[in-house]
Amino acid sequence: MNKLLVIAALFGPFSIFAQTPLYIPPTIETSTIDLTLQEGTTQFYNGVTTNTMGANGSLLGPTLILQKDDFVTINVNNQLGEETTIHWHGLHVAPENDGGPHSIIPDGTTWSPQFTVLDQAGINWYHPHLHSTTNEHVSKGIAGLILVKDQEEAALNLPRDYGIDDFPVIVQTKGFDANGQIEWMSELDTSLMVNGTIDAYLDAPAQIVRLRVLNGASQRFFKFGFSNNLSFQLIGTDGGLLEAPVTLTRYQMGPGQRADILIDLSGLQGQNVQLMNYGTEIANAIYGATQPGMMPQLMLPGYDQNPLNGSDFTVLDIQVGAPTANPVTSVPNALTTHVIPQEGTEDITRNLLFQTQQNIVGPFTINGSLFDMNVINYTVPLGNREIWSLTNQTPIAHPFHIHDVQFYILDINGNPPPPELSGLNDVVMVPAGMGNVRFIADFLDHANDSIPYMYHCHMLTHEDEGMMGQFLVTDPNAGINSNVSQDLEIFPNPVADMLTLKAENIIDATIYLVDIAGKKTQLRPAQYLPTSVEVDLSEFASGMYLIQVEIAGSTSIQRVEKF
Ligand code: C2O
Ligand code: CU
Ligand code: CU
């Protein structure tokens, strides 16, 4: 047995240690917020001193409570002894305030973004985002919740007494080495913790309570549910409230995702209810399932020795006590309204293809490239409505995240999203093995000609290894954007069925077939190659057509004969 395995056995999920009350991070509600990033130590296990990092403490950070439309200043003072960045995951802020890899906070300095809170009520979070070091800094402990409040949400009869009937639930796993230090490079993240507490229990009142769940794990998906198959109501996702509560018994969450959950504990006083992970029900090819890849031989080193994989376990033990004086006893039927942009109204469709350099091990690429700080992958004209079509050619699912915007999912493998995924999100899982997800988003604010926003896989190992890209949002009236493709090649011509299109940035193109009557049909690429795409014309009648290709606002047209 190697040392890591000994520790895995000692510190495993089925530990003999006594339960510990769930740590509830303090809140900061002022419009000027001071965060000091610091090193410290934490006793995750009795008698074991682990070096950690936190904001205003040695682990995690305070919960920031922001009011929509307020103007806030956040002073982030870096005392870590090394550089980092802090990103406000989910907040719609300008790129210079977003805290991506370009906004480095040198050791001993303070970074002070200032912005108006434009977001709807919802659950967001903050974490470091220094390129190739994100996993290390998050694993060592820096992460905190950001709860945005607004008038619409405040008018609903919902639990919102922080720490009383409204609880932060930051779920993470960590690995420890033989010296009890955090190990972020292996698949042996055998220790589960909520708000940094291992074997946590929560005293909650016998009424409807609210859990603000963040999957803050570096790689792991969870399939949450409650013991005895107790149903719960999902009222919000990454970007805020759903239109109506969705009653569920399971909800799967990838790294970075948030869930606003109501659970009715009425009448359960004196009993225990467990928030569970049902890992046996996670489909293979998702990190956390029995198999991380599509086939048993696609293993990651150590993965099958990690008892958390493919198993059911308690995440949080809820001990139900007396109700409060004014409990919430019913759930509103309507929460908010969503006006989902219709397909066809977009300015462009961008195609992102996930590939791998070494099957399940990666590194994983997006459109053939690893992240390069000096390459802008896309330029989005301010005001654009865009569809991003994400296709995963790798054997493992990836939780894709985009900064700046919240999106609506159009379809997952061609099917419309279920109700729980019909609200606004900034992370979505793209299934393995040619899985496809399309989302639509409006890029309405925050043009900046030099500082980009990120998009990436939120499995932090994948992100750190380069499964990330960046885009600028630029004001077209300022004359910056040009991504013209005038070199369209199509072949063969005449064509029987499969037509190949070649052009610069063809992977981003929206492709139409126009018949002699002028009828225009959008063609979905059947296959992507590095510099070309194939479309299938077999369903169309013989005759002359035009192929119209739109890339970043410019249009190329070629005539093709179908026989
Ligand atoms: Cu939560 Cu770019 O990150
Ligand atoms: Cu983010
Ligand atoms: Cu990934």
Side-chain angles (χ1 to χ4, degrees):
M1 249 195 179
N2 71 29
K3 279 181 177 175
L4 270 173
L5 291 185
V6 174
I7 289 295
L10 272 178
F11 294 164
F14 314 107
S15 90
I16 46 148
F17 297 102
Q19 285 189 312
T20 310
L22 178 70
Y23 170 68
I24 304 290
T27 58
I28 298 183
E29 298 206 39
T30 47
S31 59
T32 299
I33 296 164
D34 295 319
L35 294 178
T36 301
L37 308 179
Q38 57 196 82
E39 293 184 288
T41 60
T42 302
Q43 297 233 340
F44 291 102
Y45 294 98
N46 282 334
V48 180
T49 300
T50 303
N51 298 319
T52 52
M53 290 178 170
N56 300 359
S58 22
L59 188 72
L60 298 171
T63 298
L64 312 184
I65 298 187
L66 306 181
Q67 298 290 333
K68 185 176 187 226
D69 300 325
D70 273 9
F71 186 76
V72 297
T73 303
I74 310 182
N75 300 308
V76 185
N77 178 227
N78 179 6
Q79 295 296 332
L80 293 175
E82 57 186 285
E83 61 188 27
T84 192
T85 83
I86 290 290
H87 165 56
W88 321 108
H89 179 134
L91 294 189
H92 178 50
V93 297
E96 61 272 28
N97 294 323
D98 190 49
H102 296 268
S103 301
I104 291 173
I105 316 172
D107 178 41
T109 69
T110 299
W111 175 62
S112 297
Q114 299 191 301
F115 53 86
T116 300
V117 179
L118 299 174
D119 307 85
Q120 311 296 321
I123 307 162
N124 300 285
W125 66 301
Y126 58 95
H127 62 76
H129 213 306
L130 186 67
H131 182 46
S132 79
T133 311
T134 297
N135 192 17
E136 178 182 347
H137 288 173
V138 173
S139 295
K140 285 184 174 171
I142 305 179
L145 283 185
I146 304 173
L147 303 181
V148 177
K149 309 228 162 178
D150 68 10
Q151 288 179 359
E152 184 186 35
E153 190 268 353
L156 297 167
N157 184 32
L158 292 171
R160 58 172 72 79
D161 252 341
Y162 185 84
I164 307 286
D165 62 4
D166 182 359
F167 301 100
V169 178
I170 303 171
V171 184
Q172 295 178 302
T173 51
K174 296 187 196 297
F176 290 86
D177 70 12
N179 301 314
Q181 301 307 312
I182 291 166
E183 214 292 313
W184 62 93
M185 300 286 278
S186 79
E187 318 302 334
L188 285 166
D189 58 328
T190 52
S191 296
L192 176 103
M193 55 190 73
V194 181
N195 302 347
T197 312
I198 291 176
D199 276 330
Y201 74 88
L202 170 67
D203 284 319
Q207 62 202 55
I208 295 175
V209 303
R210 188 172 187 179
L211 303 180
R212 312 281 196 140
V213 183
L214 161 67
N215 179 350
S218 291
Q219 303 204 69
R220 180 169 297 282
F221 286 74
F222 298 98
K223 195 160 201 159
F224 292 115
F226 291 91
S227 48
N228 297 324
N229 269 329
L230 207 64
S231 65
F232 58 93
Q233 289 183 297
L234 184 74
I235 60 167
T237 52
D238 300 340
L241 295 171
L242 294 166
E243 289 206 312
V246 179
T247 301
L248 298 170
T249 55
R250 298 285 187 270
Y251 187 59
Q252 183 172 293
M253 293 175 71
Q257 285 188 281
R258 288 86 70 206
D260 203 340
I261 284 175
L262 299 180
I263 172 92
D264 191 353
L265 302 175
S266 307
L268 297 177
Q269 188 172 343
Q271 298 181 36
N272 286 34
V273 171
Q274 278 87 33
L275 172 65
M276 300 286 296
N277 171 60
Y278 291 99
T280 54
E281 299 173 20
I282 298 178
N284 281 334
I286 294 173
Y287 197 105
T290 305
Q291 290 173 25
M294 295 172 70
M295 288 161 286
Q297 63 271 29
L298 292 175
M299 258 300 151
L300 290 161
Y303 187 91
D304 51 356
Q305 285 124 47
N306 187 333
L308 298 186
N309 292 324
S311 63
D312 299 345
F313 52 82
T314 299
V315 174
L316 180 64
D317 187 24
I318 302 173
Q319 308 189 348
V320 186
T324 61
N326 291 301
V328 171
T329 53
S330 67
V331 178
N333 325 312
L335 300 166
T336 190
T337 38
H338 286 291
V339 181
I340 303 179
Q342 287 305 296
E343 183 167 5
T345 61
E346 73 278 8
D347 296 294
I348 189 174
T349 296
R350 299 188 194 272
N351 293 296
L352 286 81
L353 187 59
F354 307 163
Q355 288 172 322
T356 173
Q357 297 189 343
Q358 208 192 125
N359 61 52
I360 196 168
V361 180
F364 300 97
T365 56
I366 302 177
N367 291 350
S369 325
L370 293 170
F371 180 65
D372 182 339
M373 287 281 277
N374 300 312
V375 172
I376 297 297
N377 302 90
Y378 296 113
T379 299
V380 174
L382 185 68
N384 246 30
R385 171 168 292 173
E386 304 205 342
I387 293 176
W388 287 37
S389 176
L390 315 169
T391 303
N392 180 4
Q393 283 193 336
T394 82
I396 184 169
H398 300 279
F400 181 87
H401 169 52
I402 185 170
H403 291 209
D404 181 26
V405 292
Q406 298 287 334
F407 53 74
Y408 289 104
I409 297 169
L410 288 175
D411 42 43
I412 301 172
N413 289 342
N415 302 311
E420 60 270 28
L421 294 177
S422 298
L424 286 166
N425 290 285
D426 58 49
V427 180
V428 64
M429 184 186 88
V430 187
M434 288 307 286
N436 175 267
V437 172
R438 295 189 313 142
F439 67 71
I440 191 163
D442 290 336
F443 296 75
L444 298 179
D445 310 287
H446 304 318
N448 185 310
D449 291 339
S450 56
I451 305 177
Y453 290 109
M454 300 296 126
Y455 56 86
H456 56 90
C457 175
H458 220 290
M459 289 169 77
L460 301 182
T461 44
H462 297 180
E463 174 190 340
D464 278 346
E465 286 172 359
M467 193 178 180
M468 178 156 71
Q470 49 191 353
F471 64 98
L472 288 175
V473 177
T474 62
D475 187 344
N477 297 324
I480 296 296
N481 174 51
S482 66
N483 236 341
V484 187
S485 159
Q486 287 141 338
D487 54 347
L488 176 68
E489 283 175 51
I490 59 171
F491 53 87
N493 191 4
V495 59
D497 43 33
M498 299 307 288
L499 181 72
T500 301
L501 289 78
K502 227 178 143 177
E504 210 193 333
N505 301 323
I506 187 69
I507 205 149
D508 296 330
T510 311
I511 302 163
Y512 298 99
L513 184 78
V514 186
D515 71 15
I516 44 166
K519 182 167 177 273
K520 199 167 157 182
T521 311
Q522 187 174 346
L523 301 175
R524 296 275 304 277
Q527 198 191 344
Y528 297 102
L529 302 164
T531 58
S532 59
V533 297
E534 273 184 11
V535 293
D536 187 357
L537 301 185
S538 55
E539 282 176 21
F540 295 89
S542 306
M544 291 301 296
Y545 293 89
L546 296 177
I547 295 288
Q548 181 175 329
V549 173
E550 295 181 4
I551 305 175
S554 86
T555 302
S556 303
I557 295 175
Q558 298 253 338
R559 190 184 284 267
V560 68
E561 186 181 353
K562 163 97 201 298
F563 62 85

